[in-house]
Amino acid sequence: MSTENPANSRPLSESEAAAEARRIIEGLWSSVPEATSTSYVDPTPPPAYGTTPPVPQPDHRLVPAWAAGVAVASIGIGAGITGLGCGVWLVCQGFAAVTLTSVLFVTLPIAALAAVVVAIGSAVQSVKATNTTTHHHYSGTVLQETNTQVTTHTHTKWFGRTTNVSR
C-alpha cells in the first residue's frame, strides 16, 4: 500500500499506513455521541379538577326512516350484486374449461329432446289439420235467448295458450 504522506511527500511504508488507518478509525469512534433517550413517561397521575362527579351523556341519535331504508336496501343490493358477480365468475370459469367433448355431451341430449318435441308437435298439428270440415245438422226447434249480460272467463296457460269461455 503506497500512500502519500502530506507532511514530507514521501510514500508511507506498510506499517506506517496501517498505523495511520488505525488512528483515523479510532478517531471516528471517539467522536460518536452517546445514545440518549428520546421519550419520557411521567409516572405521576394527572391532577383531578373539581369535586363534581362525571355527568352521563346518553346518545339519542334519531335516524330517519328513509335513511334506514336506504341503508338496508344498499346492503341487500350489495349482497345481491356480489352473488351475481360470483355466479358470473363461476360461469366464466366453466367456459374456460370447455372442450369439444364436454360441449357434445351437454348439447346432444338437449338437441335430441328438442327434436322429439318438434316431431310430436308436428304430428299433433297434422292430425288436427286433417279434419277441417264442419257439418251443422239441426233437428227440432231452435231456441234463441236474448240475454244481454254475457260473462267471459279467460284462462291463460303457459306458452300463450288462451281459452275464452262465455256464459
Side-chain angles (χ1 to χ4, degrees):
M1 183 185 248
S2 61
T3 328
E4 293 286 329
N5 186 355
N8 53 11
S9 61
R10 67 171 177 81
L12 295 175
S13 68
E14 289 290 327
S15 61
E16 289 174 336
E20 182 66 18
R22 193 171 27 258
R23 183 189 66 79
I24 292 172
I25 291 173
E26 287 173 357
L28 286 176
W29 284 111
S30 65
S31 65
V32 174
E34 289 187 27
T36 58
S37 177
T38 58
S39 65
Y40 174 73
V41 178
D42 188 6
T44 59
Y49 293 102
T51 58
T52 307
V55 177
Q57 299 175 354
D59 186 14
H60 293 291
R61 287 183 261 181
L62 295 177
V63 178
W66 64 268
V70 167
V72 169
S74 64
I75 290 170
I77 289 171
I81 291 295
T82 302
L84 184 66
C86 289
V88 168
W89 180 79
L90 287 173
V91 168
C92 290
Q93 288 294 321
F95 284 151
V98 170
T99 62
L100 179 61
T101 309
S102 65
V103 169
L104 291 177
F105 274 116
V106 170
T107 58
L108 284 179
I110 296 171
L113 182 65
V116 169
V117 168
V118 168
I120 291 173
S122 65
V124 168
Q125 186 178 8
S126 64
V127 167
K128 284 184 177 180
T130 56
N131 188 8
T132 57
T133 59
T134 305
H135 299 281
H136 298 283
H137 302 282
Y138 297 108
S139 61
T141 59
V142 176
L143 179 64
Q144 184 176 3
E145 295 181 6
T146 58
N147 189 357
T148 58
Q149 184 178 6
V150 176
T151 12
T152 303
H153 299 283
T154 303
H155 302 285
T156 303
K157 296 185 180 179
W158 289 93
F159 301 110
R161 182 176 169 195
T162 304
T163 307
N164 292 324
V165 178
S166 297
R167 293 184 184 158

